[in-house]
Amino acid sequence: MKNQGLKPQYRAAIYLAPAAYGEAIDIEQALERCKEYLADMQELRLMRIYRDDEVEIIRVPEHNGKRTPLGVTGNDAWKRLLRDTETSLIEVVLVYAARTVAPSISGLANAISNYFLKCGVRFIDVEAGFDTESGDASAYLRQKTSEYRCYVRRRSTSWADGIE
């Protein structure tokens, strides 16, 4: 008997972390939203949840007129997620919001374009409703760049005023 009409199952993972920029994220609420999304996607089977509760963006003082993210500490779950995608344990990565992936748009673009897409890993941003399977990654990254620039402009104004 043939399995006609059955869709293949893809091994999925959820990555959760505090926002690197923009509005703060309630991680528990983000997890629930990701699980709701997965419930509607029957071809995705949740294998693992990776959670970085204590990710800290370290910033250096202004250098050449710019504040630059120096690095991220405490992102052990992200590193485990990348290892599991390299070994094909995970085929689909869901994040609640792009701002949890990297402290900069270049970091997000690198993760999506130069890592996930090249490795054949599907990337889903639940908040934006974006899925690399059916969406244009370049258009998505342009939109995220615009949002990030808006945030940085607003944020840099408040820094100049001495407001955190």
Side-chain angles (χ1 to χ4, degrees):
M1 188 170 161
K2 292 183 180 179
N3 292 333
Q4 292 180 340
L6 292 179
K7 291 184 177 182
Q9 289 268 306
Y10 297 99
R11 295 178 302 274
I14 297 172
Y15 176 72
L16 300 164
Y21 63 91
E23 293 179 28
I25 291 178
D26 178 334
I27 292 181
E28 294 304 322
Q29 183 180 16
L31 176 60
E32 289 307 312
R33 293 277 311 276
C34 288
K35 285 182 175 180
E36 289 170 9
Y37 186 91
L38 277 172
D40 293 337
M41 306 291 287
Q42 294 182 3
E43 76 272 13
L44 302 180
R45 183 171 42 121
L46 181 60
M47 297 294 292
R48 296 213 171 140
I49 298 172
Y50 301 85
R51 186 173 171 152
D52 279 323
D53 290 307
E54 299 298 323
V55 173
E56 179 184 351
I57 308 301
I58 302 170
R59 299 193 183 274
V60 295
E62 284 192 24
H63 179 68
N64 294 334
K66 293 193 256 183
R67 290 184 183 252
T68 312
L70 179 63
V72 180
T73 61
N75 58 351
D76 297 329
W78 178 254
K79 292 172 188 169
R80 285 193 311 274
L81 170 66
L82 294 180
R83 276 195 308 269
D84 288 348
T85 59
E86 288 169 3
T87 61
S88 299
L89 179 66
I90 302 301
E91 300 168 306
V92 180
V93 172
L94 279 91
V95 298
Y96 173 68
R99 62 188 179 274
T100 64
V101 174
S104 67
I105 291 304
S106 61
L108 175 65
N110 185 53
I112 294 171
S113 300
N114 297 329
Y115 186 79
F116 292 129
L117 291 178
K118 285 187 178 177
C119 293
V121 175
R122 186 171 158 190
F123 177 84
I124 299 172
D125 176 343
V126 173
E127 183 181 59
F130 173 75
D131 185 339
T132 56
E133 181 179 67
S134 57
D136 178 6
S138 296
Y140 168 77
L141 289 168
R142 280 193 302 275
Q143 175 195 0
K144 292 297 165 191
T145 300
S146 174
E147 291 172 13
Y148 180 77
R149 284 184 182 149
C150 254
Y151 169 75
V152 169
R153 266 190 238 119
R154 281 195 312 268
R155 183 72 179 184
S156 65
T157 301
S158 65
W159 282 334
D161 296 338
I163 300 170
E164 280 286 60

